[in-house]
Amino acid sequence: MKRWWDVMLGRTEPAQPDLDALFALPSAAVTLQAATGLAPTGHGSVCFRSAEGEAFNRLQEEVVDLLAAGNGPAVEETQDPYGYTWLFMRHPPDRLGELVTDLHAVNSSLESAGFGPSLLCSLVCFSAPTGRGLALVYLYKRGTFYPFAPLAGQHRDGALELQVRAALGDDLPVEPDLDRWFPLWGAPGL
């Protein structure tokens, strides 16, 4: 009965995150390179709003230590002007699967510790020999991806973003609402 009322009143259930969708990125990268010439750079980030308290600080340290264990990538932590924390990782460009695994580990660790609502997005960077760049952005709260192609002067390459959306429609769950394709000016790796 409740579901019927929700439909009548125009309420819908929010989309749920599906972190396993990140594992589709390596095959989507093949499609992206064939369609646009954009190849993985090996750079990726997770963006979240830090929570107050020792438990969150300890978890964040554990995640960074886990990623850097053994011969893992050094993790750079930065703060943006909006108060979000970025964990930035570099892998060799031909090791996209390892980068995706690390991004998944960060997201999963925060989610399983109860900090899922703090997660904003994850991104994986691509570039072309011509120098143009692009990030595939995973929106945690929506469980979808969108392309972000920054240009100089805080402009976007909208044509490239739409081309990528068309190319990846069968490989990734692409965010249908273009209003949710927000810019990530100054994101690490771009």
Side-chain angles (χ1 to χ4, degrees), residues 66-81:
L66 174 69
L67 293 174
N71 290 329
V75 178
E76 297 173 31
E77 183 179 337
T78 60
Q79 296 283 323
D80 69 18

Side-chain angles (χ1 to χ4, degrees), residues 10-187:
R11 291 183 272 187
T12 59
E13 291 184 31
Q16 295 299 310
D18 177 15
L19 290 176
D20 289 344
L22 290 168
F23 291 117
L25 279 168
S27 63
V30 173
T31 302
L32 183 61
Q33 190 164 10
T36 65
L38 292 161
T41 64
H43 299 169
S45 305
V46 175
C47 181
F48 56 91
R49 182 167 302 280
S50 294
E52 296 295 323
E54 185 59 33
F56 187 83
N57 291 337
R58 191 172 37 248
L59 174 64
Q60 189 172 331
E61 289 173 10
E62 289 172 6
V63 167
V64 170
D65 291 344
L66 174 69
L67 293 174
N71 290 329
V75 178
E76 297 173 31
E77 183 179 337
T78 60
Q79 296 283 323
D80 69 18
Y82 303 103
Y84 285 93
T85 299
W86 290 85
L87 295 182
F88 173 63
M89 294 158 265
R90 287 185 178 99
H91 282 270
D94 62 340
R95 302 255 173 105
L96 181 59
E98 292 175 14
L99 175 63
V100 167
T101 299
D102 286 349
L103 295 172
H104 188 276
V106 172
N107 281 281
S108 295
S109 295
L110 291 169
E111 181 182 64
S112 66
F115 296 108
S118 298
L119 287 162
L120 179 64
C121 66
S122 296
L123 60 89
V124 174
C125 301
F126 294 81
S127 68
T130 61
R132 73 180 170 179
L134 174 111
L136 287 179
V137 180
Y138 175 74
L139 291 172
Y140 174 80
K141 291 177 177 71
R142 303 278 299 167
T144 56
F145 292 85
Y146 71 90
F148 173 60
L151 295 171
Q154 292 197 345
H155 292 82
R156 296 170 78 163
D157 187 343
L160 177 59
E161 291 177 358
L162 294 176
Q163 179 186 4
V164 169
R165 176 181 71 171
L168 295 180
D170 293 334
D171 293 292
L172 296 174
V174 177
E175 175 57 47
D177 184 355
L178 298 182
D179 289 335
R180 294 185 187 271
W181 291 22
F182 56 88
L184 297 170
W185 308 121

